[in-house]
Amino acid sequence: PEMVTKLKAACDARRSDEFIIIGRTDSRSVEGLDGAIERALRYCEAGADMIFINSLESEQEMRKAAKAVPRPVKINVIEGHPPSGFTSAQLFGFGFKLVGYAGIMQRAAGKAMLACLDTFRREDTTEGSLKAILMTPAERYAVLGVEKFKALEAKLLG
């Protein structure tokens, strides 16, 4: 009931139809799949645009959840958990409308940062092998879109 109230409040506060409200339930591991689906249905009634049922355990559960919910259903893929054995195309084929790869970029960045720090600790310089894996300042600015921010700043501040 608390989540239903929160979802209704979020829907009432929404200012744009382009803002998607996702009702998430982590109850699968406590209440089982049927309990999680029941919650998801209540979230749909409350106005959620999309549903995310966390911790689905098998292809059968994934298919059942995607079919049972009358709104688009999202799934997260985390390496080592059941959805990670499937391709995005397969997951879309099961009926999911959004496939998220939770934390994949963060974990990749973390591993790269540790490797960078280890190399720096050994070599004590940013030259050599470390330089080969680092972005140049220009590459970093391009990825971050710094020029767009500078242009906006110039426009706004004259």
Side-chain angles (χ1 to χ4, degrees):
E2 183 179 335
M3 180 57 112
V4 167
T5 299
K6 289 178 180 181
L7 287 168
K8 286 180 180 178
C11 291
D12 288 345
R14 179 178 14 208
R15 295 187 184 131
S16 167
D17 290 338
E18 293 180 16
F19 189 84
I20 296 173
I21 296 173
I22 302 175
R24 173 184 174 148
T25 178
D26 293 335
S27 64
R28 159 54 193 90
S29 56
V30 176
E31 298 180 357
L33 181 60
D34 291 336
I37 289 172
E38 185 175 316
R39 282 181 187 246
L41 295 174
R42 288 189 302 219
Y43 297 171
C44 292
E45 290 171 7
D49 303 301
M50 181 175 281
I51 301 297
F52 171 37
I53 299 174
N54 199 21
S55 301
L56 297 172
E57 293 287 328
S58 66
E59 178 180 341
Q60 180 181 349
E61 284 193 6
M62 291 180 229
R63 288 181 181 276
K64 182 176 179 178
K67 185 176 181 180
V69 176
R71 296 276 198 286
V73 181
K74 173 188 190 289
I75 191 164
N76 269 354
V77 176
I78 300 172
E79 290 68 32
H81 295 275
S84 68
F86 300 99
T87 65
S88 297
Q90 288 173 309
L91 294 168
F92 287 126
F94 296 167
F96 294 102
K97 300 299 181 195
L98 178 63
V99 178
Y101 288 85
I104 192 170
M105 296 302 291
Q106 182 184 36
R107 291 192 311 277
K111 192 167 190 172
M113 285 187 266
L114 290 173
C116 180
L117 289 171
D118 185 55
T119 301
F120 183 70
R121 190 178 307 121
R122 281 193 324 271
E123 298 180 9
D124 194 26
T125 178
T126 58
E127 297 298 318
S129 62
L130 190 58
K131 187 173 187 174
I133 64 169
L134 296 177
M135 287 180 146
T136 65
E139 290 169 327
R140 181 174 157 221
Y141 289 169
V143 168
L144 295 175
V146 170
E147 290 304 317
K148 290 179 186 177
F149 287 107
K150 286 183 177 182
L152 180 60
E153 180 181 54
K155 178 181 173 185
L156 295 174
L157 299 178

